[in-house]
Amino acid sequence: MNAENKVTFESFTERVAKRAKVSNTEADAYLHELSRAVGDALEAGDEVKLYHFGRFHTTYVDERPGRNPQTGESLTIPEQTRVDFSPYKALLLAVNWPFRNLRTRMLVEKEAGTRPSAIGWLLLALALLALILAGIYAYNRMSSESAAAPVAVVPANTEPAQPIVQQAPVVQEEPVATETAVVAETPAVSTTTLDTVASTPVEPVAVTTMVVGSGDTLWGIAASQWGDSSWWPVIYAENRADMAARNPDLIETGSLLRIPVLAGSAAEPTDADINRKAEAYRIVAGDYEQSGHARASEYRLFVNRNDAE
Amino acid sequence: MDQTELIEHIGEELRIPKTHSQRLLRATLREIRDLLKNGEAVTIPHWGTFDTAIREPHRGFLPPGFLPLGEGYAIFPKRRVPVFRTGKSLHDGVYDLDDPEEGEAA
């Protein structure tokens, strides 16, 4: 019940008086007498039936276990006699007026969520069997192939010399091209950015790629890739050129992210990694500042701290 | 107690003719109905609050012999229902049913 849809007793009395063509005082006295009469009847254990309106009756409720909703301690709710109101059809129909066109709709057997039939179970079992067989077949084929050509299982980030590893050689060129393109587009970028951008391609940086799934965050990706979520700006810096909205808090589902491979590890970073991280934090802080984000200063602080180290 | 008895009882208490009492009772009930039809609520002192509530659509089971739809699962549509909340003095009066003195006092 809201305060706005509630009618005061005073205006209700006026309306009743108008409808019955009597004075307000008389209607007010009548309403009070009516509620007293109904209350007396109910107290005496009687019930009150009103035509086309409803029935007021009492129900005995035995004592039952309950809980104090505030403290959570168990207590026993004492026995009581409750007043119930059962509306009659006429009142129900009148009150349901806004939804009078809605009808009960029968569900067919499938929708009803009943237990699947025996044929359904059989089909499910067959499908499972087929899946297992396919898995065994694929596994056998893979193991025989790897026995024939063991070179194929070399990790992607060692040397981009092997032609089997397709990602590494392609992506190794990519960051150079896109990063310089960005710098050309925006000459406003400070010289420090230029220097580091120029220095990054010199290092042998390998890159892996991944597709952003629903619910993924840069923070989470960094945590799963390197075990340390604080490195997420590095991923952002790597992919910033591809992001239309320069918003570090926004990555799009289904887009391709390049994950740079660190020279050291997140736990024991090399100097190059630390520089890279500081640079990434500077980029993030810059983007946050442009969008007026409250965290910009925090990221700026982090950069300064890193520089001091 | 049915409506006729109630009309007579109130008529005697207030010393008004039965026709008058009947007209007032009908006016009251129709006024409450019209308020609820508009989604409004009213509290009548010593009696309770008449209000409405929305019931969301839900799945349910229609028992056998439920015509014309027949027996089975069905989606019940959204609907608005009248709600009566007992006023405190009425609740207390009825609650002390076993204790006549308390009941009289309330």
Side-chain angles (χ1 to χ4, degrees):
Chain A
M1 178 177 53
N2 310 316
E4 62 258 31
N5 72 356
K6 190 152 183 191
V7 174
T8 60
F9 181 63
E10 198 185 345
S11 69
F12 177 72
T13 316
E14 278 170 21
R15 291 195 206 188
V16 171
K18 204 172 162 191
R19 196 180 273 246
K21 298 190 185 72
V22 295
S23 68
N24 285 356
T25 339
E26 202 174 341
D28 184 79
Y30 186 85
L31 282 173
H32 278 100
E33 187 56 41
L34 173 65
S35 40
R36 207 175 65 80
V38 171
D40 284 349
L42 291 173
E43 275 174 45
D46 205 352
E47 58 178 16
V48 180
K49 293 173 178 173
L50 301 169
Y51 295 139
H52 305 305
F53 192 73
R55 183 171 70 102
F56 293 91
H57 56 108
T58 54
T59 311
Y60 172 75
V61 186
D62 205 351
E63 65 174 24
R64 59 193 197 275
R67 253 170 217 293
N68 185 333
Q70 267 156 5
T71 59
E73 63 180 305
S74 330
L75 46 84
T76 310
I77 300 171
E79 56 167 8
Q80 57 176 312
T81 309
R82 190 180 63 205
V83 176
D84 283 335
F85 173 60
S86 311
Y88 288 165
K89 192 83 180 176
L91 185 63
L92 283 172
L93 286 175
V95 171
N96 195 36
W97 192 249
F99 309 118
R100 62 189 180 280
N101 294 324
L102 304 179
R103 292 282 172 271
T104 307
R105 186 170 61 83
M106 292 303 290
L107 287 174
V108 293
E109 201 64 21
K110 243 185 220 168
E111 275 181 89
T114 49
R115 294 177 57 177
S117 60
I119 298 171
W121 283 116
L122 203 71
L123 280 175
L124 203 72
L126 276 175
L128 262 171
L129 204 70
L131 215 69
I132 292 167
L133 283 175
I136 292 170
Y137 176 70
Y139 179 78
N140 285 341
R141 230 181 113 169
M142 262 174 65
S143 53
S144 63
E145 261 180 30
S146 63
V151 204
V153 211
V154 174
N157 58 354
T158 45
E159 267 299 283
Q162 273 116 7
I164 311 124
V165 184
Q166 287 177 354
Q167 282 173 345
V170 175
V171 185
Q172 208 190 9
E173 288 162 18
E174 247 179 57
V176 187
T178 45
E179 289 275 338
T180 42
V182 168
V183 173
E185 275 168 23
T186 54
V189 178
S190 62
T191 46
T192 52
T193 325
L194 255 176
D195 288 346
T196 38
V197 166
S199 66
T200 358
V202 181
E203 301 156 14
V205 182
V207 171
T208 56
T209 55
M210 67 166 288
V211 179
V212 180
S214 175
D216 271 352
T217 58
L218 287 175
W219 206 83
I221 294 167
S224 63
Q225 292 285 328
W226 301 318
D228 185 355
S229 47
S230 74
W231 285 78
W232 71 264
V234 178
I235 306 178
Y236 175 68
E238 180 73 32
N239 295 280
R240 186 171 175 270
D242 297 341
M243 294 185 177
R246 291 275 151 84
N247 182 357
D249 295 342
L250 188 72
I251 50 175
E252 282 182 19
T253 309
S255 60
L256 206 63
L257 277 185
R258 291 191 302 275
I259 315 279
V261 173
L262 301 175
S265 68
E268 295 168 2
T270 61
D271 286 351
D273 286 338
I274 292 194
N275 284 340
R276 196 192 177 109
K277 191 179 179 184
E279 179 53 34
Y281 267 74
R282 193 171 291 125
I283 291 173
V284 167
D287 282 351
Y288 271 153
E289 261 165 23
Q290 273 185 9
S291 60
H293 199 287
R295 283 207 293 271
S297 53
E298 287 175 35
Y299 282 86
R300 191 63 80 188
L301 269 178
F302 183 87
V303 172
N304 294 338
R305 204 170 66 216
N306 261 13
D307 283 352
E309 280 171 9
Chain B
M1 189 188 270
D2 65 12
Q3 191 153 330
T4 327
E5 288 165 11
L6 188 69
I7 288 166
E8 280 176 17
H9 176 76
I10 301 174
E12 281 165 22
E13 291 281 327
L14 288 178
R15 300 210 178 105
I16 52 173
K18 262 196 275 181
T19 48
H20 205 138
S21 178
Q22 186 178 34
R23 203 168 73 225
L24 269 160
L25 183 66
R26 279 192 182 168
T28 310
L29 297 184
R30 286 185 184 170
E31 200 56 57
I32 293 174
R33 187 196 67 192
D34 288 359
L35 285 179
L36 298 183
K37 196 171 170 179
N38 294 336
E40 290 169 318
V42 67
T43 299
I44 298 175
H46 312 304
W47 194 357
T49 306
F50 291 92
D51 197 358
T52 57
I54 299 282
R55 298 275 179 267
E56 293 302 325
H58 61 281
R59 199 193 74 166
F61 187 79
L62 287 177
F66 192 93
L67 297 171
L69 290 174
E71 172 192 355
Y73 289 99
I75 294 283
F76 294 99
K78 186 178 182 177
R79 65 199 179 109
R80 192 163 69 180
V81 293
V83 169
F84 173 71
R85 280 193 289 278
T86 317
K88 189 156 178 10
S89 65
L90 175 60
H91 176 265
D92 288 349
V94 175
Y95 173 76
D96 294 322
L97 188 65
D98 297 332
D99 191 344
E101 283 185 11
E102 284 278 357
E104 290 293 317

